[in-house]
Amino acid sequence: MLFLSCERRPCQCAMPASPWPTPRSVRQASQLHAVLTTSGKIVHPPSAGHLLSSLTNCLSAPLHLSYALSLFDRLPLHSTFLFDTALRACLRASAGADHPVLLFRRMRRGGVRADAFTFHFLFRCCSLARARAGLCRMLHAACLRTMLPSAGTLVTNPLIHMYAVLGLTDDARRAFDEMPVKDAVAWTTMIGGLAKMGLLDEARRLLVQAPERNVVSWTSLIAGYSRAGRAAEAVNCFNSMLSDGVAPDEVAVIGVLSACSQLKDLDLGRSLHFLIGEKRIKMSDNLVVALIDMYAKCGDIACAQGIFDAVGRGQKPQPWNAIIDGYCKLGHVDIARSLFDQMDTPDVITFNSMITGYIHSGRLRDALLLFMQMRRHSLRADNFTVVSLLTACASLGALPQGRALHASIEQRLVEDDVYLATALVDMYMKCGRVDEATIVFQRMGERDVHTWSAMIAGLAFNGMGKVALEYFCQMKRNGFQPNSVTYIAVLTACSHSCLLNEGRLHFKEMRSSHGIHPQIEHYGCMVDLLARSGLLDEAMDLVQTMPMQPNAVIWGSILSACRVHKKIDLARHAAEHLLKLEPDEDAVYVQLYNIYIDSRKWVDASRIRMLMEERGVKKTAGYSSITVAGQVHKFVVNDQSHPWTFEIITMMEEIAHRLKSVGYSPITSKITVDVDEEEKEQALLAHSEKMAIAFGLISLPPNLPIHIMKNLRVCEDCHSAIKLISKLWKREIIVRDRSRFHHFRDGTCSCNDFW
DNA sequence: CTAGGGTTAG
């Protein structure tokens, strides 16, 4: 209405060439369009140009672009300016590279001369749309043929940017070097392109050469170092910028804050916070996010909360996301959730952070409920969500759900990427499907050090240590640098497969060839390997010479090896340490009790019993679970609560019968209760593992493997009984217990575990 | 008409 009121009287302030007011919205543009059409003025090139140009300035939706392009199509005359404006419209609507290329072809067919703006917009469209390298080079060639040599930076700067965005740094560099006159933007674009590709040393060299070092060049270098994990260099770079006399702005500070988060350097963080106030740098939302994130990661959550309360409680979800993530990372999921519930408009990132927080604290049910709530906010799951859910499936051993997620990836409901593929490998491995994990791994386009590590760790857990080491060799041959996580996987492979010499070799090599200092986890693997191999003295030497205090995992390895290798004194020593570290962990008492019983030290054994009673330590009940048709069925010893108890017992009797008929005798020697042999056999038969397997045999189709999860360790009798069951029933049985996978097939098990 | 940035994942 407001706009129409000027329709008869042209604005005084408008350009003299165009007697029309300037529309400020698509709606106003369409009104002007109507007026021009009815008055026949639409054929007047300056009027039409004015309309198209001002419409272009208002574009905000794809529909607007089709309006603008249809308007363009109906114009009687197509000048270079009009084509350039149409290209500008494509850019504004970020509508990919197809429209621009078609426009360019029409231009040449129509004999319309291309000018500097034409190529300027074409190159920018290609950058935005990440166009194919071939197309970009073609347009570049067309540009060289068409343009006067002195086209200038209006064309070359977007050209360099285009090549840099596509990762074609050589093309970018050549174009840059061939520029007769380089302005500040050219230098900055080139430096930024190199920094983004991780070519930081080259970027730095260029920065030194540049006639002028501005805040933008410095910032791209700072961010580059920070992204590459070279946080200390990022901070140095920031300091160099300051001493170079370049004033930091909001973006520069955000970059150095993220480096500071990595370094967890609270003092530096505080001084940066002070600098913001001192230099009166604008406190944008993004800066607030970076500050909250920095304080949270540097361990000062109170300060993070303070900033959030002061400036973060607006409508924008980003500051909320930063503080929620901070609480989740510290394990305070309930505080995070209460903030989450206060939000008006959570976005995908909010949900992803909260879901991941729940998953990392083992609250998978809450994670799932939240995932289902996303629909109510009409939010779609993205790659982050799917990776988190795959992690949950991996830790639950939920193979069918994991497969469903895989299917949604294959159907391209989410974009395939390295993270996703690695999470898939991890999920299949943790569900015992080495074959499927391998297929995913082999089909992936891009791999990185995490992918290889997941593969090696997965093979290790599945008892395929030798294969894991082959993958490790292949990884190094392909030029990937192993990191400390990779070495945890490699050493786990050695300890789970009892590869003593290989373990020693890799433990030595990690420091000598790759400069990785062993952490407690690496020592843990080595101690386990030595102890399992019966070299308890050597294991203890390592424990005493390592530069940190042994943790419960390490004493646990020693203790369980002591039972097998009958080292009572060392067992007592290890147990003492364990009871100090974890006085409530029932497994320690049970282990020590069993060791005393094994060696007939009845008095010591009963002392342990008493100690447990005194301290109120309860033995956690062992249970096994199996998922059938999406439902989890949980069994404890002698369980009669299941609705199919009758069928299960019948099946267990058949199992006992068939085992006996092939000469199997239950391993009753470890049972310490004083009952007769037959009762012992009955007790073993009622173990939760066997109940779950019996139920699986009844309820799952014969071609499906049976997956069982056990919260403790599979007992010796169950282990050898399941081997036989897998042979007699010709079924694959996969049991995941506390420390590893047991893959039973045709009478064998993949694990190298002992009792 | 222009170059640099943050929070969620394996």
Side-chain angles (χ1 to χ4, degrees), chain A residues 238 242 247-258 260 267-295 307 311:
Chain A
F238 184 75
L242 294 184
D249 67 358
E250 177 207 339
V251 183
V253 175
I254 290 170
V256 72
L257 275 173
S258 99
C260 180
D267 290 333
L268 174 64
R270 288 202 176 110
S271 66
L272 289 168
H273 191 177
F274 179 75
L275 186 87
I276 294 167
E278 196 186 38
K279 302 260 178 190
R280 300 182 181 283
I281 292 169
K282 193 182 130 233
M283 263 291 203
S284 64
D285 281 328
N286 294 333
L287 187 51
V288 171
V289 168
L291 269 173
I292 292 173
D293 180 63
M294 181 278 293
Y295 275 119
I307 293 173
V311 285

Side-chain angles (χ1 to χ4, degrees), chain A residues 642-655:
Chain A
H642 196 275
W644 288 26
T645 296
F646 177 73
E647 288 85 347
I648 292 168
I649 289 176
T650 313
M651 182 45 104
M652 293 209 299
E653 277 164 2
E654 193 188 331
I655 291 174

Side-chain angles (χ1 to χ4, degrees), chain A residues 536-678:
Chain A
L536 279 153
D537 293 336
E538 206 180 326
M540 280 309 292
D541 281 346
L542 191 59
V543 170
Q544 265 139 22
T545 53
M546 64 190 210
M548 62 284 276
Q549 286 298 313
N551 61 12
V553 177
I554 287 180
W555 287 122
S557 296
I558 299 272
L559 183 61
S560 44
C562 282
R563 187 178 181 193
V564 176
H565 299 286
K566 309 256 182 303
K567 306 267 185 180
I568 308 248
D569 292 333
L570 185 54
R572 198 177 280 138
H573 179 67
E576 263 170 36
H577 282 279
L578 267 173
L579 290 179
K580 249 181 244 151
L581 290 167
E582 295 184 326
D584 299 322
E585 184 62 51
D586 58 326
V588 183
Y589 297 87
V590 175
Q591 273 276 33
L592 195 57
Y593 174 81
N594 285 333
I595 289 170
Y596 286 138
I597 294 283
D598 286 349
S599 48
R600 313 188 171 278
K601 294 199 182 277
W602 316 114
V603 184
D604 290 314
S606 69
R607 264 217 337 262
I608 297 290
R609 274 251 149 120
M610 272 150 54
L611 200 61
M612 281 180 81
E613 250 166 67
E614 237 171 70
R615 297 187 179 172
V617 181
K618 285 250 162 49
K619 201 171 170 245
T620 36
Y623 65 80
S624 302
S625 58
I626 177 170
T627 308
V628 174
Q631 208 162 28
V632 180
H633 301 257
K634 192 167 147 183
F635 298 90
V636 294
V637 182
N638 251 325
D639 207 321
Q640 313 243 329
S641 63
H642 196 275
W644 288 26
T645 296
F646 177 73
E647 288 85 347
I648 292 168
I649 289 176
T650 313
M651 182 45 104
M652 293 209 299
E653 277 164 2
E654 193 188 331
I655 291 174
H657 178 74
R658 286 182 69 175
L659 288 181
K660 207 157 228 166
S661 71
V662 293
Y664 181 77
S665 55
I667 305 170
T668 53
S669 57
K670 295 283 165 66
I671 299 181
T672 51
V673 201
D674 192 18
V675 291
D676 67 35
E677 199 62 14
E678 197 177 323

Side-chain angles (χ1 to χ4, degrees), chain A residues 30-44:
Chain A
S30 70
Q31 289 173 15
L32 177 60
H33 187 187
V35 171
L36 290 175
T37 308
T38 48
S39 63
K41 290 286 194 335
I42 192 80
V43 299
H44 180 228

Side-chain angles (χ1 to χ4, degrees), chain A residues 26 59-70 93:
Chain A
V26 175
L59 295 182
S60 63
L63 199 63
H64 298 165
L65 177 66
S66 29
Y67 175 38
L69 290 180
S70 73

Side-chain angles (χ1 to χ4, degrees), chain A residues 295-312:
Chain A
Y295 275 119
K297 293 223 169 91
C298 291
D300 193 343
I301 190 75
C303 206
Q305 177 79 56
I307 293 173
F308 174 73
D309 288 332
V311 285

